[in-house]
Amino acid sequence: MSTASASGGGAAVDERTARRVAEAARESEWRLPSFGKQLFMGRLRMDLIHPHPRPAPEDVERGEAFLRRLREFLAENVDPQRIEREARIPDDVVAGLREIGALGMKIDEKYGGLGLNQLYYGRALMLAGSISPAIGALLSAHQSIGVPQPIKMFGTEEQKARWLPRCVNEISAFLLTEPDVGSDPARLHATAVPTEDGGEYVLNGVKLWTTNGVVADLLVVMARVPESPGHRGGISAFVVEADSPGITVEHRNAFMGLRGIENGVTRFHDVRVPAANLIGREGSGLKIALSTLNTGRLSLPAMCAAAGKWAAKIAREWCAERVQWGRPIGEHEAISTKLSFITVTAYALEAMVDLASSLADNERNDIRIEAALAKLYGSEMAWRIADELVQLRGGRGYETAESLAARGERGVPAEQMLRDLRINRIFEGSTEIMHLLIAREAVDAHLAVAGDIIDPETAPADKVRAAARAGGFYARWLPTLVSVPGLSGRDRYAGFGPLARHLAFVERASRRLARSTFYAAARWQGALERRQAFLGRMVDIGAELFAMSAVCVRARMDAGSGNRGLTPYALADAFCEQARVRVEALFEALWRNTDAQDSRLARRVLTGEFSWVEEGVLDPSIPGPWIADSTPGPSRTADVHRRIG
């Protein structure tokens, strides 16, 4: 594979090679049941999520004790407007978080960490992210995808003993993305060449958007090892000391939101890394990264849920206080629909992330689809919530918190929340990539039995055997998508009271979704993977159905607890009604859309045929190449890496 050109262009990688690399990184086996997978196959497996999993008493005691310490620390020591104003989390805040154990929330107690389960880790991120999303991002990038998680999952006992105690006190970062490499890892340019004696690897390359990279002490770096005698090669994962000779943090990036995050560009020039720092085997780097993200992705929806809960509070208080035309604005239908949407969706987002986290904790389920759906749905719906909150607040929603406070009003940072949340639709898999990733997992059963039929490289004899195998599978499966024998849907879910009809809808919609997927596969066969808009809608339907299932299970658990009475049922019922409208619209759009026309037009746009549309304006962009030069070599800039005491 050739290196990037001086202009920053990437190596030439054909589509089949790129797909083969991505496919090899997937976890291909399903050793544990998956609610999400079954949902896409037309089966509502309520037994996998109901009764709602509950944490062990000792996990609750440990988690609640830490949440109390964290809440007290954040309330007394964090000035969110200072972080926004100075675009930096003060060092003493980071030091204080370290002191209370926040850097080691997910690290086992035997290594000096707190040993929180996924549920309470998510709740801690909700708390931290609610006062400052930058703090939430710092803690999440360190523990969800930084050194602790891959070492916990794939490290040797020696590696765990060496690095996990350090991660309780030191900050880590995850380095995969490059200037010309995003969601296509086959183009990865960074190299790790083994020395002749096999004792070290020499790293060269440039990494972009390294959250925590500016202040990190330890790095997880993905680099390509060349195949050679004694080395199987491939993209591999290494733990690298951030102060190693040859590492330069060349730039700290500035963003639309999350202004306090320490995100940068890191260059590696002849950086020597001990062979003992290799995580897993050579060539397993992408599998490690994806496996880490299966659970690590739950950090983002946790913080999205936090944003939703805060927005619900502000929306309720403002809509009751602000009076127009003789009534509080929340009583006007144009506003009440927004207030209802914000409130019920906030409840659903928390239900979704808590359920996925609890499933991850009980370790009896494969949650790769559930975590991905939570990330996708959480990031999209939280953004809609933030946009609606700004609209509810009117001009005050567009005004900064400091400006509001300076003129004597409550400094509500609604516009900041909108800016901070926008990145979540891109972070850790953009919405478009999440659609494709989830769709691939959702159709896995079909590819397992019929993939050889549509694979052009499959021999004719193998195609015949695959056809026979597929025939047997579909003969058994398709009849289950027509009806479910026995009790009616409402009767099957009678224990859910007023929510029974919504679960019956989920059951029917799940079968309808599976039928639609089968029809699409039969119609387009191998070309289905190119019908990305169809696949996106298919996944969005699954996300809505998962959210409905989660909120119904959560409402039944919450009903009667504390002083809530039956109010959880009212929230869940309203959410499900709204979700059903969205689901029906998505089903309609599966087959009635402008996708083909849009694709044809887009190809003409790319040729410049319609460039006249762009006339009459000036481009305020700062001149420069679209993609920065990432040619390996020594750095020519000052190192902006810094350590936090």
Side-chain angles (χ1 to χ4, degrees):
M1 174 172 286
S2 62
T3 58
S5 68
S7 65
V13 177
D14 62 43
E15 184 176 5
R16 178 163 289 276
T17 299
R19 292 184 182 280
R20 187 179 296 119
V21 170
E23 187 66 19
R26 279 185 65 247
E27 187 177 350
S28 58
E29 296 182 12
W30 293 84
R31 291 182 292 273
L32 297 171
S34 165
F35 177 83
K37 181 184 178 183
Q38 294 299 316
L39 197 63
F40 281 104
M41 291 297 293
R43 305 183 187 107
L44 180 58
R45 288 286 306 277
M46 291 298 293
D47 59 299
L48 296 178
I49 62 172
H50 175 70
H52 195 293
R54 293 178 183 268
E58 57 271 22
D59 290 331
V60 174
E61 183 179 359
R62 184 186 305 115
E64 293 293 341
F66 176 68
L67 290 183
R68 288 191 293 271
R69 294 199 304 274
L70 180 62
R71 177 183 290 274
E72 181 180 356
F73 172 81
L74 294 171
E76 294 180 359
N77 297 278
V78 174
D79 177 356
Q81 287 308 306
R82 179 186 174 188
I83 294 173
E84 180 73 0
R85 185 170 57 252
E86 299 179 358
R88 176 169 293 178
I89 302 170
D91 287 3
D92 62 324
V93 170
V94 179
L97 290 168
R98 177 192 295 122
E99 185 175 338
I100 66 172
L103 296 185
M105 287 186 281
K106 290 193 71 180
I107 297 174
D108 290 343
E109 290 177 295
K110 69 177 180 178
Y111 299 113
L114 298 180
L116 298 187
N117 62 11
Q118 182 66 37
L119 177 66
Y120 274 98
Y121 171 63
R123 290 181 177 176
L125 290 178
M126 287 177 63
L127 198 57
S130 65
I131 194 167
S132 170
I135 291 178
L138 168 78
L139 297 174
S140 172
H142 165 56
Q143 291 170 91
S144 297
I145 58 175
V147 172
Q149 191 69 8
I151 288 295
K152 176 182 178 180
M153 295 177 66
F154 298 98
T156 64
E157 290 304 318
E158 291 78 11
Q159 288 175 328
K160 292 176 183 178
R162 178 182 177 188
W163 283 309
L164 291 181
R166 287 183 58 182
C167 290
V168 173
N169 296 298
E170 300 180 42
I171 298 171
S172 67
F174 173 74
L175 281 62
L176 170 62
T177 304
E178 299 178 1
D180 196 32
V181 180
S183 300
D184 183 4
R187 297 168 59 88
L188 194 78
H189 308 312
T191 58
V193 180
T195 56
E196 289 188 7
D197 62 7
E200 293 180 314
Y201 292 85
V202 180
L203 267 62
N204 282 280
V206 178
K207 296 293 183 179
L208 176 63
W209 295 323
T210 61
T211 300
N212 289 356
V214 179
V215 296
D217 304 289
L218 291 170
L219 313 172
V220 176
V221 182
M222 297 291 165
R224 186 181 301 279
V225 177
E227 186 177 352
S228 64
H231 293 274
R232 68 194 300 265
I235 298 173
S236 306
F238 301 87
V239 177
V240 182
E241 300 282 353
D243 59 358
S244 299
I247 296 180
T248 306
V249 179
E250 296 187 328
H251 179 69
R252 183 187 176 215
N253 302 317
F255 298 105
M256 169 184 179
L258 290 184
R259 291 178 176 172
I261 63 172
E262 302 280 356
N263 180 294
V265 179
T266 303
R267 178 178 292 271
F268 297 83
H269 176 60
D270 293 342
V271 178
R272 303 182 79 87
V273 179
N277 290 26
L278 173 69
I279 308 175
R281 300 187 306 160
E282 288 181 358
S284 63
L286 285 181
K287 188 176 288 288
I288 289 172
L290 289 179
S291 297
T292 298
L293 281 171
N294 280 341
T295 300
R297 281 197 176 97
L298 289 174
S299 61
L300 282 184
M303 289 184 283
C304 288
K309 290 166 75 70
W310 177 78
K313 176 180 185 296
I314 296 300
R316 173 181 59 81
E317 294 175 351
W318 172 247
C319 288
E321 177 70 22
R322 176 67 162 163
V323 175
Q324 293 283 274
W325 298 304
R327 290 189 294 165
I329 61 172
E331 294 182 8
H332 295 285
E333 187 174 271
I335 301 300
S336 64
T337 55
K338 299 179 187 298
L339 180 59
S340 171
F341 166 76
I342 291 172
T343 305
V344 302
T345 306
Y347 183 56
L349 292 184
E350 183 178 25
M352 204 174 187
V353 71
D354 275 6
L355 177 59
S357 297
S358 297
L359 292 174
D361 285 330
N362 70 22
E363 298 182 345
R364 294 196 298 269
N365 296 271
D366 186 319
I367 57 100
R368 73 184 89 162
I369 290 182
E370 290 83 347
L373 288 174
K375 189 275 176 189
L376 168 70
Y377 196 77
S379 59
E380 289 292 328
M381 298 305 276
W383 168 255
R384 287 182 57 184
I385 286 173
D387 187 55
E388 294 287 27
L389 179 64
V390 168
Q391 192 70 19
L392 286 180
R393 291 274 292 157
R396 291 173 174 84
Y398 195 67
E399 191 172 358
T400 68
E402 288 202 328
S403 177
L404 288 164
R407 61 181 184 78
E409 292 193 1
R410 183 173 175 180
V412 177
E415 61 82 29
Q416 181 189 335
M417 184 176 77
L418 191 69
R419 289 186 288 102
D420 288 342
L421 282 172
R422 185 59 182 84
I423 188 58
N424 292 330
R425 299 176 63 211
I426 301 171
F427 259 171
E428 296 181 19
S430 69
T431 290
E432 293 72 25
I433 292 300
M434 295 306 297
H435 277 151
L436 300 182
L437 183 152
I438 297 168
R440 172 61 186 86
E441 300 294 354
V443 301
D444 187 56
H446 300 283
L447 293 178
V449 298
D452 286 342
I453 300 175
I454 60 177
D455 188 341
E457 295 183 359
T458 301
D462 292 332
K463 286 181 180 288
V464 172
R465 284 190 289 270
R469 186 171 63 248
F473 170 79
Y474 288 118
R476 295 186 303 272
W477 177 65
L478 287 173
T480 68
L481 304 183
V482 178
S483 63
V484 176
L487 297 173
S488 68
R490 291 198 184 194
D491 290 337
R492 268 194 299 280
Y493 309 114
F496 286 85
L499 304 180
R501 62 192 183 92
H502 296 308
L503 289 174
F505 172 87
V506 173
E507 183 183 276
R508 295 192 304 273
S510 174
R511 296 199 300 269
R512 183 181 176 188
L513 177 60
R515 291 196 302 270
S516 299
T517 304
F518 172 75
Y519 297 153
R523 176 179 177 180
W524 293 309
Q525 298 186 41
L528 177 59
E529 67 181 17
R530 298 181 183 277
R531 300 282 179 166
Q532 295 177 356
F534 176 92
L535 293 173
R537 295 185 192 101
M538 181 188 82
V539 169
D540 286 339
I541 292 170
E544 293 283 5
L545 299 182
F546 178 46
M548 291 177 68
S549 304
V551 79
C552 288
V553 171
R554 178 59 176 263
R556 180 165 179 182
M557 181 179 70
D558 286 347
S561 63
N563 59 353
R564 295 172 182 170
L566 298 179
T567 58
Y569 281 135
L571 290 177
D573 180 60
F575 172 79
C576 288
E577 289 287 3
Q578 294 177 15
R580 289 172 70 158
V581 173
R582 294 191 292 265
V583 167
E584 291 294 350
L586 286 165
F587 270 123
E588 172 72 14
L590 281 179
W591 308 108
R592 185 176 181 181
N593 54 66
T594 61
D595 297 344
Q597 179 184 11
D598 294 340
S599 293
R600 290 192 298 269
L601 183 65
R603 286 192 290 271
R604 296 174 66 187
V605 169
L606 291 174
T607 67
E609 185 177 349
F610 305 112
S611 60
W612 52 267
V613 171
E614 304 153 17
E615 295 172 1
V617 297
L618 295 173
D619 183 355
S621 304
I622 300 171
W626 283 106
I627 299 172
D629 180 11
S630 57
T631 304
S635 180
R636 298 181 179 87
T637 65
D639 187 4
V640 298
H641 178 257
R642 64 186 182 87
R643 283 185 177 274
I644 297 178

